[in-house]
Amino acid sequence: MKRLRTLALFVLAALPATAEAHTGVGLHSHGFEAGFSHPFTGLDHMLAMVGVGLWAASLGGRARYLVPLSFMGVMVAGGLLGIAGIALPMVETLIAASVAAIGLVVLLNVRVPTPIASAFVGACALFHGHAHGAELPAMANQWGYVAGFVLATGLLHAAGLGLGMARFGNAEGLLRRAAGGLVAVAGLALFAG
């Protein structure tokens, strides 16, 4: 538990001071570095991935690792579709909607069986992964890029898990749900904007 909190604090401290829309050019244009930085350059991706960790923490048990792993697995599939140039409909709209939906399940403390939660986050992850893959920088190693965005996603999930599992006395559930509410509001703002 202490290690998870330390990891979550490390990840949060490593986040950039400003989140910009998806980038993929400049100094980080060669594979792993570009893939690793990509989830941190879009507020939509950061919120969804931290939100998945928060929800997994609230579900408890095996969901703590199966729900994030489901997101990561389907995200890779979506990323490979994007790299291959296979189009999906309304990707950015569905990414924004997924951020709002993930925030809402945390806010409302939705309790479902782990396979349903895994399928839900997997559906969200398909579009996040597609956006990652479609923005593969020219000349970047695609497998390094995929490995980079998977590692970054895992760290963001761990941050959400750490925050979701942190003990705050009687306010513990309230703080987790408030964080979910903030994710939902941000997702709605992204969706509207």
Side-chain angles (χ1 to χ4, degrees):
M1 178 64 146
K2 185 176 181 181
R3 289 183 200 159
L4 193 56
R5 278 192 223 144
T6 303
L7 177 62
L9 289 172
F10 172 76
V11 169
L12 290 174
L15 295 176
T18 59
E20 299 173 12
H22 309 107
T23 62
V25 295
L27 295 176
H28 298 163
S29 61
H30 297 294
F32 181 83
E33 298 87 3
F36 184 81
S37 66
H38 191 267
F40 295 107
T41 62
L43 187 59
D44 49 359
H45 296 308
M46 287 191 299
L47 291 172
M49 294 166 189
V50 171
V52 166
L54 286 166
W55 193 34
S58 74
L59 293 172
R62 294 178 22 208
R64 287 184 178 151
Y65 62 90
L66 291 177
V67 170
L69 286 175
S70 174
F71 187 100
M72 291 167 61
V74 177
M75 183 189 64
V76 168
L80 294 176
L81 290 174
I83 289 169
I86 298 170
L88 293 178
M90 305 182 322
V91 171
E92 291 299 325
T93 301
L94 291 170
I95 286 173
S98 75
V99 174
I102 291 167
L104 285 173
V105 297
V106 176
L107 171 66
L108 300 174
N109 199 28
V110 174
R111 312 291 297 170
V112 296
T114 300
I116 293 172
S118 295
F120 170 76
V121 300
C124 297
L126 182 66
F127 298 98
H128 286 270
H130 189 276
H132 291 324
E135 295 171 8
L136 172 72
M139 305 300 289
N141 175 289
Q142 69 184 17
W143 298 113
Y145 184 76
V146 169
F149 74 67
V150 168
L151 178 60
T153 298
L155 291 173
L156 288 165
H157 287 329
L161 275 166
L163 292 171
M165 294 170 55
R167 300 287 178 230
F168 297 106
N170 294 335
E172 173 183 329
L174 179 64
L175 291 175
R176 182 173 46 236
R177 291 174 75 178
L182 291 173
V183 170
V185 167
L188 291 171
L190 291 167
F191 187 75

